[in-house]
């Protein structure tokens, strides 16, 4: 069938684009562009105004310009690795200047020699003798007659990131073909089909550069709107679930006060009030408790558990590891057994007849609060009346796990807790279906962890200090970057352990990495907690929730390879008591000055939110814990940093429209708000 309007649809594979053969289709798919929609949403990163080319005569120092030139005097010089430095003289009739390209292949020199015209884009700089020249311009060599082709010349031209090894003119030609052959039907799903069709045309081939920017804004708006609608619908569904009404009376408040060895912080009080309101509402709670490391989330959770127990229902606390589960169980027994709450711990280590009698007691309602790993809610564990599930360090469980939890038949109240500080707007994009309580205040009496960026040269001193800490009855963590290649993790940790052993003789050193089988891992951690191991050399597996109050010193090797937010999490393993604590961020010799500067943020602040913002600025959201699994990663045209501020707006708009009963749909961004077609 000949190409023409209506011939291509968004979901077609790229191989259906006229001119895309099998080999190219494979390369495109490898570059993440499998469908026509993928291809179209790979937007130009800039435009070049070729309605009128600049001339060599009017070039200004340092100002980028697009020239239409012919090349002469092409010379090439061999560089390392078989590439060439190529020089040529560009002439456009108004003047001539030298152009230099580095790292090119001989075929490029041949093409230049062919006498074809070219559009080049670059800024003139001074050559060795002060003459004007252009270095490494973007160069489009035109085929015969192409210099007057209205697709590439005499117009505002889109410039794309090079992908799948396709030259820019070919890419442009393919985009034009797709736009010409595309069935406009997909736009019908949108509330403003004309705008969307227009924007898609304009974002690639605008009449003027501003029209391109405008078109991009429209597409971003559309994407944010459908993303917001998706979140809001999910949220509405979660909040429609009926929940067991748990009431807090004055007797309960008294029990709570009695249970706590300290007064709650203002933030904790606020969170407890918000949670109590949810639990008493008759609808099921779906709430996120976000609080920096050490902000005291466990106590807040304990009070929620107490509330459930007092209402003669059952509750569960789920932790990502056995060590954490045991730790929580110990804390909760301390806090709640005085109030008559019956607690039990269920992990993989509880087997045989103890396990059987525990399960029997649970189903008979003789256990009020069950603490354990995720097996709690997955296995054939039967509660008599489960009303509340608390999930600690929830990012460890992943989004899929979270969904499964909410779908549990009895629709329990759910409280998820995370220590990952995320700016509010991003938090919404990631956890938007949840209500959020934030603990933005630390318990009193904690002095910040003294943190210093250190060079490898000071290692000896650092480990001498580590030995002193251990001698004083304290504990030391040494963290090395995980390399994610199993065996090399093992090598990295044992290499470091050997070095530490040499520098801190006579101290028992434990080693922890992802390759250790879980029971072994738990054993090492228990030895460390009990003081049988003084220094723990570990990959980032200690990042989450491990609470050894005696640990006062953390050394991070090759600190430059971590994100700030992650280092902040790691640092949260020390400073967990009233003892003074320290953190040494050791940078590798090859670390850049920029990397050192970035790390100094941690010397100055211990505010997780400030640190997360910095991380977001310098490294992007992919590095913030938890974002990789969220809708953020799926954003096509919106930029999660630049467009962050517009998320709130999109959310209001989506809410308005959904509450008026409108559907919000977009085939372009693969989404419909109609309940039937929505995944979770
Ligand atoms: P996280 O939010 O990192 O899970 P935890 O709940 O483990 O923090 O609390 C960290 C430490 O602070 C615990 O030892 C806890 O007993 C203590 N703590 C929590 N709340 C308070 C408070 N209001 N006053 C004093 N200490 C507190
Ligand atoms: Mg915790």
């Amino acid at each position: 069938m000949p190409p023409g309007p209506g011939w291509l649809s968004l979901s077609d594979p790229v191989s259906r684009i006229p001119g895309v053969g099998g080999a190219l289709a494979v390369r495109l798919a490898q570059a993440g562009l499998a469908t026509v929609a993928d291809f179209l949403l790979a937007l130009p990163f800039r435009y070049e105004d070729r309605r009128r080319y600049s001339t060599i005569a009017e070039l200004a120092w340092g100002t980028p310009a697009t020239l239409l030139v012919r090349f002469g005097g092409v010379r090439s010089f061999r560089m390392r690795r078989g590439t060439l430095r190529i020089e040529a003289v560009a002439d456009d009739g108004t003047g001539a200047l030298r152009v230099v390209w580095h790292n090119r292949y001989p075929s490029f020199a041949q093409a230049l020699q062919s006498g074809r015209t070219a559009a080049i884009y670059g800024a003139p700089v001074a050559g060795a003798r002060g003459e004007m020249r252009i270095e490494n311009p973007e160069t489009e060599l035109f085929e015969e007659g192409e210099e007057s082709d209205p697709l590439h010349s005499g117009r505002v031209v889109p410039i794309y990131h090079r992908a799948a090894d396709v030259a820019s003119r070919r890419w442009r030609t393919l985009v034009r073909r797709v736009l010409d052959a595309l069935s406009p039907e997909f736009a019908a799903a949108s509330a403003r089909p004309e705008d969307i069709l227009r924007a898609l045309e304009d974002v690639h081939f605008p009449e003027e550069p501003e029209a391109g920017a405008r078109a991009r804004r429209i597409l971003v708006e559309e994407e944010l709107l459908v993303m917001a609608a998706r979140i809001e619908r999910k949220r509405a569904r979660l909040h429609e679930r009926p929940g067991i009404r748990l009431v807090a009376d004055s007797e309960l408040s008294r029990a709570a006060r009695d249970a706590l060895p300290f007064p709650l912080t203002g933030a904790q009080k606020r969170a407890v009030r918000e949670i109590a309101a949810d639990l008493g509402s008759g609808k099921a709670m779906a709430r996120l408790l976000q609080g920096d490391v050490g902000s005291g989330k466990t106590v807040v959770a304990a009070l929620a558990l107490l509330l459930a127990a007092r209402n003669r229902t059952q509750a569960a606390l789920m932790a990502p590891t056995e060590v954490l589960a045991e730790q929580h169980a110990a804390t909760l027994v301390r806090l709640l057994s005085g109030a008559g709450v019956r607690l039990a711990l269920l992990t993989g280590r509880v087997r045989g007849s103890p396990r059987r009698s525990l399960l029997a007691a649970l189903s008979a309602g003789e256990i009020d609060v069950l603490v354990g790993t995720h097996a709690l809610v997955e296995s054939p564990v039967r509660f008599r009346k489960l009303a509340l599930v608390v999930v600690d360090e929830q990012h460890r469980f992943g989004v899929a796990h979270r969904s499964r939890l909410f779908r549990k038949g009895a629709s329990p109240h759910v409280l998820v807790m995370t220590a990952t500080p995320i700016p509010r707007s991003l938090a919404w994009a990631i956890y938007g279906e949840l209500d959020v309580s934030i603990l933005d205040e630390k318990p009193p009496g904690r002095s910040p962890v003294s943190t210093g960026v250190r060079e490898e040269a000071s290692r000896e001193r650092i480990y001498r200090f580590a030995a002193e800490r251990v001698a004083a009855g304290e504990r030391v963590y040494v963290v090395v970057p995980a390399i994610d290649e199993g065996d090399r993790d093992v090598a990295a940790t044992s290499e470091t352990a050997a070095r530490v052993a040499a520098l801190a003789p006579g101290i028992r050193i434990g080693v922890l990495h992802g390759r250790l089988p879980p029971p072994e891992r738990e054993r090492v951690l228990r030895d460390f907690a009990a003081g049988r191991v003084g220094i723990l050399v570990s990959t980032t597996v200690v990042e989450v929730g491990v609470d050894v109050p005696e640990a006062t010193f953390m050394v991070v090797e090759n600190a430059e390879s971590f994100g700030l937010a992650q280092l902040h999490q790691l640092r949260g393993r020390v400073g967990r008591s009233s003892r003074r604590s320290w953190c040494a961020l050791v940078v590798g010799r090859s670390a850049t000055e920029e990397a050192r500067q970035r790390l100094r943020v941690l010397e100055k602040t211990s505010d997780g939110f400030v640190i997360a913002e910095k991380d977001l600025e310098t490294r992007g959201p992919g590095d913030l814990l938890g974002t990789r699994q969220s809708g953020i990663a799926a954003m096509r045209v919106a930029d999660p940093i630049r467009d962050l501020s517009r998320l709130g707006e999109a959310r209001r708009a989506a809410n308005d429209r959904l509450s008026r009963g409108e559907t919000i749909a977009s085939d372009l961004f693969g989404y419909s708000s109609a309940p039937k077609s929505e995944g979770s």
Side-chain angles (χ1 to χ4, degrees):
M1 198 205 278
W7 184 76
L8 267 186
S9 79
L10 285 173
S11 57
D12 281 338
V14 284
S15 58
R16 287 209 70 209
I17 300 172
V20 173
L24 178 54
V26 169
R27 288 209 309 276
L28 286 170
Q30 276 163 354
L33 309 176
T35 65
V36 167
D38 294 336
F39 185 74
L40 271 184
L41 293 177
L43 303 186
F45 70 95
R46 74 180 173 88
Y47 301 102
E48 213 165 85
D49 192 347
R50 295 186 190 167
R51 283 173 297 188
R52 183 188 161 278
Y53 286 95
S54 302
T55 62
I56 291 177
E58 71 190 8
L59 281 181
W61 293 102
T63 308
T66 309
L67 304 167
L68 185 64
V69 301
R70 266 178 216 281
F71 294 108
V74 179
R75 292 190 298 164
S76 31
F77 308 86
R78 201 150 281 287
M79 296 178 71
R80 267 169 300 168
R81 291 187 301 268
T83 60
L84 301 174
R85 182 166 69 94
I86 300 172
E87 295 194 6
V89 176
D91 192 321
D92 71 349
T94 73
L97 89 175
R98 187 166 297 280
V99 178
V100 184
W101 297 266
H102 299 280
N103 289 315
R104 293 302 189 118
Y105 289 94
S107 57
F108 184 68
Q110 276 154 25
L112 290 177
Q113 263 151 356
S114 67
R116 281 144 55 185
T117 53
I120 61 171
Y121 174 82
V125 295
R129 287 175 301 282
E131 80 287 5
M132 211 178 237
R133 59 150 77 188
I134 298 183
E135 304 237 0
N136 285 318
E138 284 175 39
T139 309
E140 269 185 44
L141 278 162
F142 292 131
E143 299 290 342
E144 193 61 43
E146 270 184 345
E147 69 269 22
S148 52
D149 183 330
L151 199 54
H152 309 299
S153 214
R155 61 163 306 127
V156 176
V157 168
I159 310 290
Y160 299 92
H161 285 296
R162 195 178 175 93
D165 211 24
V166 179
S168 41
R169 278 163 313 120
R170 176 137 182 244
W171 193 280
R172 214 173 280 140
T173 307
L174 292 175
V175 173
R176 185 67 264 164
R177 282 189 196 149
V178 171
L179 287 171
D180 290 341
L182 187 65
S183 161
E185 258 165 63
F186 72 88
S190 167
R192 42 175 186 170
E194 294 306 319
D195 291 352
I196 295 303
L197 287 173
R198 185 67 211 252
L200 212 47
E201 170 73 27
D202 284 357
V203 81
H204 289 288
F205 294 104
E207 300 262 311
E208 53 201 355
E210 301 74 57
R214 214 157 41 234
R216 179 188 293 267
R217 265 198 308 280
I218 289 173
L219 293 177
V220 167
E221 254 166 45
E222 181 84 353
E223 176 164 43
L224 293 181
L225 182 74
V226 297
M227 184 175 143
R230 178 184 298 155
I231 295 171
E232 290 302 315
R233 266 207 57 83
K234 204 160 155 193
R235 182 188 173 78
R237 262 199 338 255
L238 274 183
H239 287 79
E240 278 158 13
R241 301 174 311 146
I244 300 173
R245 197 184 291 276
L246 303 176
V247 276
D249 52 19
S250 57
E251 193 196 328
L252 181 96
S253 312
R254 198 163 339 105
R257 253 196 317 277
D258 292 346
L260 298 180
F262 39 65
L264 294 179
T265 65
Q268 283 171 323
K269 279 188 198 141
R270 187 160 22 92
V272 168
R273 264 201 309 275
E274 287 164 350
I275 290 166
D278 284 358
L279 295 179
S281 72
K283 294 271 188 250
M285 172 169 75
R287 184 170 287 277
L288 173 73
L289 178 60
Q290 202 190 343
D292 213 343
V293 274
S295 60
K297 293 182 289 295
T298 315
V299 171
V300 175
L303 294 180
L305 297 170
L306 176 63
L307 181 54
R310 281 286 173 139
N311 278 267
R312 296 202 175 72
T313 62
Q314 290 170 303
L317 174 66
M318 198 162 89
T321 65
E322 291 196 356
V323 172
L324 275 188
E326 286 171 10
Q327 206 174 273
H328 278 315
T331 307
L332 291 174
V333 164
R334 239 183 5 254
L335 291 175
L336 300 183
S337 51
V341 176
R342 296 162 299 177
L343 269 132
L345 171 68
L346 180 61
T347 66
R349 292 154 58 80
V350 183
R351 294 195 201 97
S353 77
R355 184 183 185 91
R356 276 192 299 278
S357 54
L358 188 154
L359 291 180
L362 186 70
S363 60
E366 290 155 13
I367 291 171
D368 303 311
V369 173
L370 185 62
V371 181
T373 49
H374 63 273
L376 275 194
V377 288
E378 282 194 330
S379 67
V381 175
R382 282 230 190 5
F383 291 84
R384 200 177 62 83
K385 193 177 184 188
L386 178 65
L388 167 68
V389 178
V390 179
V391 188
D392 192 23
E393 306 293 353
Q394 93 85 32
H395 68 271
R396 283 288 145 146
F397 288 104
V399 170
H401 211 107
R402 191 161 90 210
S403 312
R404 224 176 310 147
L405 190 57
F406 287 119
R407 282 201 295 268
K408 283 216 79 73
S411 96
H413 297 286
V414 177
L415 177 67
V416 299
M417 309 199 287
T418 176
T420 312
I422 320 168
R424 223 174 229 280
S425 44
L426 249 193
W428 169 70
I430 298 167
Y431 297 114
E433 76 274 22
L434 307 180
D435 295 314
V436 180
S437 295
I438 295 184
L439 297 185
D440 49 8
E441 194 181 337
K442 287 252 169 87
R446 293 284 145 82
S447 50
V449 178
S450 312
T451 301
V453 178
R454 297 283 176 266
E455 302 297 323
E456 286 181 4
S458 29
R459 253 200 206 118
E460 210 167 302
R461 233 185 21 225
I462 289 170
Y463 286 109
R464 198 153 3 120
F465 183 65
E468 285 167 24
R469 295 331 317 154
V470 176
E474 299 170 10
R475 236 83 83 222
V476 178
Y477 292 100
V478 178
V479 176
V480 299
I483 310 172
D484 247 351
E485 282 174 30
D487 290 337
R488 289 179 54 204
D489 275 9
V490 180
T493 44
S494 50
E495 201 178 287
T496 303
R499 195 161 56 207
V500 174
L503 293 172
I507 290 174
R508 228 186 118 198
I509 295 170
V511 170
L512 201 63
H513 52 73
R515 269 293 179 91
L516 281 186
E520 185 69 1
R521 232 189 278 186
E522 317 272 333
R523 195 182 54 74
V524 174
L525 274 172
R526 262 190 295 272
D527 284 350
F528 184 65
R532 289 187 291 273
V533 158
I535 299 180
L536 183 63
V537 177
S538 165
T539 55
T540 50
V541 290
V542 297
E543 179 190 305
V544 164
V546 174
D547 186 23
V548 179
E550 293 80 10
T552 56
F553 186 30
M554 165 151 296
V555 183
V556 183
E557 292 280 355
N558 287 101
E560 72 278 7
S561 55
F562 294 94
L564 295 182
Q566 196 179 11
L567 287 170
H568 178 63
Q569 288 293 318
L570 286 168
R571 181 172 61 174
R573 298 309 113 223
V574 297
R576 302 183 74 83
S577 68
S578 52
R579 297 183 204 226
R580 262 196 84 183
S581 292
W582 300 265
C583 175
L585 303 170
V586 183
V587 291
R589 255 185 293 276
S590 56
T592 62
E593 187 46 38
E594 201 186 351
R596 288 182 170 77
Q597 282 306 333
R598 188 173 61 88
L599 293 176
R600 293 213 173 90
V601 170
L602 293 169
E603 292 182 341
K604 288 175 226 127
T605 182
S606 54
D607 181 330
F609 288 91
V610 172
I611 291 164
E613 299 268 9
K614 269 277 180 288
D615 229 10
L616 197 61
E617 273 167 35
T618 54
R619 296 176 33 130
D623 287 314
L624 280 176
L625 302 167
T627 49
R628 241 180 290 258
Q629 301 164 312
S630 70
I632 295 275
M635 282 180 161
R636 309 300 293 269
V637 299
D639 180 314
I641 300 173
R642 246 189 358 227
D643 299 319
L644 200 59
S645 56
R646 297 166 67 193
L647 278 173
E649 219 173 286
R651 181 179 193 178
R652 277 189 295 280
N655 259 330
D656 278 0
R657 289 180 42 187
L658 290 174
S659 67
R660 286 199 300 268
E662 293 176 33
T663 47
I664 297 175
S666 162
D667 288 349
L668 186 56
F669 297 107
Y671 172 72
S672 158
S673 72
K676 60 173 177 9
S677 60
E678 192 180 12
S680 55

